[in-house]
Amino acid sequence: MNGSHRRPLLPRLAHPCLSSGGRVAAIGCGTIGYMSDLITKLVPILHVKDPSAERRFYEQLGLRTTYEGPEYPGFIAVGSDTVEFGLSRRPDAAPATSGLTWQLAVSDADAAIAACEQAGLSFEVTVERPREDWTYRVVKVQSPNGIEVVLEEQSPQG
């Protein structure tokens, strides 16, 4: 094979920020911006002592199991059509008392309160009023691993 006729091993991806030589062609265009075009979803993974207990907690809030299988023992994913996250078994996981707060938007605070009551969960309801024309309710609960979960009422923008 003649060295002047070598094909590249991988095809170059066309991108408006790259010159024909594959170098950044404009200020403000970089690998971070390009990579952000490839990212389609954020799926956090929580490290917990008991993924099954966490799953039951989130199922009580209306989420469902989206993955559980023999390929990844000790891992469960939960979610809905709009949110998804993993629960990974870590026997040495410390309760997440201040490192993370889940804020889940809910369309009906009364229904969220009723779901918490029906599940026997301890919760606190507060009313937030950031401006005179903007008031909403927040339902705070805690997961079995100590994660603060905030169910924030979302109202249509007027």
Side-chain angles (χ1 to χ4, degrees), residues 28-96:
C29 287
T31 56
I32 299 297
Y34 176 59
M35 190 66 194
S36 68
D37 294 340
L38 302 176
I39 297 169
T40 61
K41 186 176 183 181
L42 173 66
V43 184
I45 298 174
L46 303 177
H47 301 288
V48 298
K49 287 184 180 183
D50 186 350
S52 295
E54 289 288 310
R55 172 189 26 207
R56 286 189 298 277
F57 170 78
Y58 289 107
E59 285 176 344
Q60 291 172 327
L61 297 178
L63 299 180
R64 65 184 182 277
T65 300
T66 58
Y67 171 82
E68 182 175 21
E71 304 86 2
Y72 299 102
F75 179 83
I76 300 169
V78 296
S80 67
D81 293 339
T82 56
V83 66
E84 184 177 33
F85 53 93
L87 304 168
S88 179
R89 181 182 315 282
R90 293 283 168 94
D92 59 342

Side-chain angles (χ1 to χ4, degrees), residues 108-115 137 153:
D108 185 340
D110 290 327
I113 291 167
R137 290 176 293 167
E153 182 175 46

Side-chain angles (χ1 to χ4, degrees), residues 2-40:
N2 184 334
S4 63
H5 291 89
R6 275 191 219 154
R7 291 184 316 168
L9 295 176
L10 296 173
R12 290 194 186 259
L13 299 175
H15 192 275
C17 291
L18 300 180
S19 69
S20 60
R23 293 208 166 103
V24 175
I27 295 176
C29 287
T31 56
I32 299 297
Y34 176 59
M35 190 66 194
S36 68
D37 294 340
L38 302 176
I39 297 169
T40 61

